[in-house]
Amino acid sequence: MIPWIQDRGKRTIGLLYYLYGPGKSEEHTDPHLVASWDHNAPDPGRDAAATLKKLQQLLDQPVETIDPSQRPEQHVWHLSVRNDATDRMLSDEEWGDVARRMVAAAGIDNPETGAGCRWAAVRHADNHIHIVATLVREDGYKPDLDNDAHRLQAQARILEAELGLRRLGKGDGTAAKRPTRAEHHKAQRQGRERTAREELREAVRRAVAGARSDKEFFDRLAAAGLLVRKRVAPSGDLLGYKVALPDDLNKDGEPVFYPGARLAPDLSLPRIRERWSGEAEDVPAARREKAIRTRQVTPAAARRTTASAVWQAVLVVEHGEDALAAADIAAAGEVLDALAKTSAANTRRELRDAATAFERASRSHVRAVRGHDRALRQAARDLVHGGPALGRGEDGATTAMAIDMIFFLITAAAHWHARKGHAQQAEAATRAAEHLRTAYQAASAQPLGVLYQRGRRLSRPILQRQTVLLREALPELAERILAEPGWYALAATVAEAEAAGHDPAALLSDVAERRELGTASSVSDVLVWRMRRTAGLPADASPLPETGAAGNRPSTRGTITRPSAPGRARSGEETSRQTR
């Protein structure tokens, strides 16, 4: 059950015309009262003698009786209460009880003293009602509506339990402000897929991803085509900002600006600055910026860096302190935004949807310790500076590798939030993981297909030897892996690793032990990307060395060599394995 306070208004009659009318975004069926401040209130939906004007006059009567200077500028309060599509259909009597309890919880009505506001609840669909109230009480005083949204949410959780409805998670005040009904209608009129608020929120998130200074952040906003206004103190200090879409205008033809804090709690300028205030202080700023300018980052190299950074973050989220885990979870949102911005068309939509869903999971009341998330923020920065990736070759394969790793990080974040009782964040992370699963399937189809064919072409003796090796290295997973189509891709990867000088049994054991594989839909796929990343193998399956040489190579069991590849930075995984 979702209670949603709409924007306040000035015209009671206008809202009544909408509630009893045919509807705009959805059809209104049989509009009628289910409850009101007075059981004798006229119902224009069911009583032919009743009129909307009469109902409006009765609702507004307390407002008209006080001095005009004391009247609220916007005296119309509007609440919608909507059930989930899977909930049972409530009767009019049940909806009437819901309405009475909601107005009491909000402070609109006080059944004990009888000194409440006048209100009416209209039902024009099976799954929701609308409540309209005028904000002057019968005794001439104004109602106390402080924290009315929180009280309404608490009452909704109680009603869900009593009525057997879907139980929603309790909010914690860290969610971004939802678009208003007026904003939705405006977007529909303009033919927009999303509201201006939602488009701006995404654009600002992407501008923040990996940024390291006010200047870089504002330059990115301008490059994205947004209008930006800065709030500057008399001293010249920058205090805040607000943004607008150039074609989103008000009735006077002026752009509609939104402050960062109104887009999301963590998009205010002070909260954004916390991200880069935690950068390393042991490297002089000038030298660090020079290294950034001279560093050449390709899309594929950026995705390899991302995969390594994400892998370290998984360990922190699963086993680290809460403040450190919260920092990495927040930074994971930046990585998703950067990846969505720079990925090819075959994955861009799902990655964008994953980033949008995860936005809710990136915030909680656990205060993040900034600075620890430096590796993830650098990965986001590399993705942005690396530029758009192709959907094939090394770009496409490393995209699949990065998505595979990020899937595990987002899943770990969902589990972390669930343990903390953050129901909304856990659900958001779970939804993001589903989008990532779909994006991974699109990104991995071609490179895994190449590896699959290569594995099928391996000689029977080599396949038999690798089957024995797999059963020795991973006895508990071997039969499951051998039954998966991805086994041949894994066999090809093992052959490449062995040809490159690695002990395949030790490498298999190493990558399998670094995290549980129970949540993987394909264990062989996960092991392919872990092995290729750890062993420094090309992600796009470059031509395989002669398998005969690999088959006769002396065993180096017990050691895992990691040859340096051009542009490949050490991931730090050796260190993390020793400290686990």
Side-chain angles (χ1 to χ4, degrees):
M1 178 175 288
I2 301 176
W4 184 10
I5 301 174
Q6 313 281 346
D7 285 346
R8 294 186 184 181
K10 299 179 180 180
R11 297 181 66 247
T12 306
I13 190 66
L15 179 55
L16 291 177
Y17 273 123
Y18 166 74
L19 297 180
Y20 279 93
K24 295 179 180 178
S25 59
E26 56 187 2
E27 183 180 357
H28 294 175
T29 304
D30 185 26
H32 60 279
L33 286 183
V34 292
S36 68
W37 85 102
D38 181 353
H39 68 277
N40 290 320
D43 181 6
R46 294 283 177 87
D47 183 356
T51 65
L52 294 176
K53 185 63 176 178
K54 180 61 175 178
L55 179 57
Q56 173 260 317
Q57 289 174 338
L58 290 171
L59 286 168
D60 284 346
Q61 192 174 64
V63 179
E64 299 295 334
T65 58
I66 66 173
D67 188 275
S69 65
Q70 300 299 315
R71 297 172 187 172
E73 182 179 353
Q74 294 182 312
H75 71 275
V76 183
W77 186 84
H78 178 198
L79 173 74
S80 66
V81 185
R82 184 179 296 267
N83 283 348
D84 188 75
T86 61
D87 286 332
R88 67 179 180 87
M89 186 171 67
L90 301 185
S91 66
D92 280 353
E93 290 73 19
E94 289 174 314
W95 273 122
D97 184 57
V98 168
R100 283 183 283 271
R101 292 172 64 171
M102 284 293 180
V103 293
I108 291 293
D109 199 3
N110 190 333
E112 295 181 0
T113 65
C117 302
R118 295 190 176 187
W119 59 274
V122 178
R123 181 181 187 181
H124 55 213
D126 290 338
N127 67 339
H128 70 276
I129 60 172
H130 291 262
I131 302 174
V132 53
T134 47
L135 298 181
V136 175
R137 301 189 327 187
E138 296 281 5
D139 58 7
Y141 289 95
K142 298 172 187 176
D144 180 7
L145 298 182
D146 288 346
N147 296 316
D148 55 347
H150 294 289
R151 296 196 298 271
L152 288 168
Q153 291 292 341
Q155 184 62 232
R157 304 293 84 78
I158 296 172
L159 286 165
E160 288 164 358
E162 292 182 3
L163 297 173
L165 307 177
R166 181 189 176 197
R167 306 287 292 274
L168 300 181
K170 182 180 179 181
D172 61 2
T174 62
K177 181 176 174 58
R178 297 174 59 181
T180 65
R181 181 167 59 88
E183 290 172 354
H184 277 296
H185 289 167
K186 184 177 182 180
Q188 291 172 357
R189 292 195 306 270
Q190 296 175 340
R192 296 181 185 274
E193 183 180 347
R194 296 175 296 166
T195 65
R197 182 190 299 273
E198 291 167 317
E199 289 187 22
L200 288 168
R201 183 183 301 141
E202 179 180 287
V204 174
R205 283 203 330 259
R206 289 187 174 186
V208 171
R212 284 182 170 166
S213 67
D214 289 357
K215 182 180 184 306
E216 183 177 8
F217 170 58
F218 287 114
D219 285 347
R220 289 187 184 183
L221 291 179
L226 304 187
L227 303 179
V228 182
R229 287 183 182 173
K230 300 177 184 178
R231 185 162 60 91
V232 182
S235 63
D237 293 335
L238 182 60
L239 301 178
Y241 73 100
K242 52 186 178 180
V243 290
L245 297 175
D247 57 349
D248 180 39
L249 309 177
N250 61 20
K251 59 183 175 60
D252 297 322
E254 299 174 343
V256 180
F257 281 87
Y258 293 80
R262 297 292 298 276
L263 297 176
D266 56 345
L267 294 183
S268 67
L269 187 59
R271 293 291 301 278
I272 287 174
R273 282 171 165 168
E274 290 177 4
R275 308 187 190 207
W276 49 73
S277 66
E279 295 295 333
E281 298 180 357
D282 56 339
V283 180
R287 193 171 70 190
R288 184 169 65 246
E289 289 304 316
K290 181 179 179 181
I292 292 169
R293 288 194 301 269
T294 58
R295 183 182 179 192
Q296 297 297 320
V297 182
T298 66
R303 280 151 177 75
R304 280 189 172 274
T305 299
T306 297
S308 295
V310 166
W311 184 248
Q312 301 308 312
V314 171
L315 301 177
V316 173
V317 172
E318 290 185 332
H319 307 294
E321 299 176 5
D322 285 349
L324 304 184
D328 276 351
I329 290 172
E334 294 189 48
V335 173
L336 279 174
D337 283 320
L339 193 63
K341 180 179 180 179
T342 59
S343 287
N346 65 328
T347 57
R348 190 180 304 132
R349 179 59 183 262
E350 290 295 338
L351 288 173
R352 192 192 82 176
D353 290 346
T356 299
F358 191 73
E359 184 263 348
R360 179 67 188 95
S362 65
R363 295 183 302 272
S364 71
H365 283 305
V366 178
R367 191 71 173 180
V369 175
R370 291 296 185 175
H372 172 81
D373 57 349
R374 191 178 308 118
L376 283 178
R377 297 204 73 247
Q378 180 62 53
R381 185 178 182 82
D382 286 347
L383 287 168
V384 172
H385 284 277
L390 300 174
R392 58 185 183 277
E394 187 74 0
D395 283 6
T398 50
T399 296
M401 178 187 293
I403 295 173
D404 178 70
M405 297 298 166
I406 293 173
F407 172 83
F408 283 103
L409 175 56
I410 300 309
T411 301
H415 294 163
W416 184 85
H417 280 305
R419 291 195 302 270
K420 300 298 175 188
H422 305 159
Q424 292 183 5
Q425 289 91 332
E427 182 182 8
T430 301
R431 283 189 284 109
E434 290 305 312
H435 288 296
L436 287 172
R437 192 188 298 274
T438 303
Y440 169 77
Q441 291 169 351
S444 65
Q446 190 274 335
L448 285 179
V450 172
L451 285 171
Y452 173 86
Q453 293 300 328
R454 181 170 295 171
R456 291 297 300 264
R457 291 197 298 269
L458 291 174
S459 66
R460 182 176 295 275
I462 291 178
L463 279 173
Q464 290 176 338
R465 181 168 59 82
Q466 290 187 0
T467 299
V468 172
L469 181 150
L470 177 69
R471 287 183 169 131
E472 291 178 352
L474 305 176
E476 296 180 358
L477 295 172
E479 298 309 316
R480 176 180 172 182
I481 293 172
L482 291 170
E484 293 178 348
W487 156 241
Y488 289 101
L490 180 59
T493 297
V494 171
E496 284 188 70
E498 190 172 11
H502 297 276
D503 173 14
L507 185 60
L508 269 172
S509 298
D510 179 61
V511 297
E513 288 174 357
R514 296 190 183 189
R515 191 191 184 279
E516 58 84 20
L517 293 162
T519 57
S521 57
S522 173
V523 175
S524 51
D525 283 12
V526 174
L527 293 178
V528 163
W529 299 122
R530 290 186 188 179
M531 288 187 70
R532 301 192 79 82
R533 179 176 52 82
T534 303
L537 301 175
D540 68 341
S542 296
L544 185 67
E546 291 297 327
T547 55
N552 296 325
R553 186 176 298 280
S555 173
T556 56
R557 186 174 299 277
T559 63
I560 303 176
T561 60
R562 285 173 168 72
S564 297
R568 175 175 177 263
R570 292 179 63 85
S571 65
E573 293 180 270
E574 296 88 346
T575 302
S576 71
R577 193 170 63 256
Q578 294 170 0
T579 58
R580 273 208 321 269

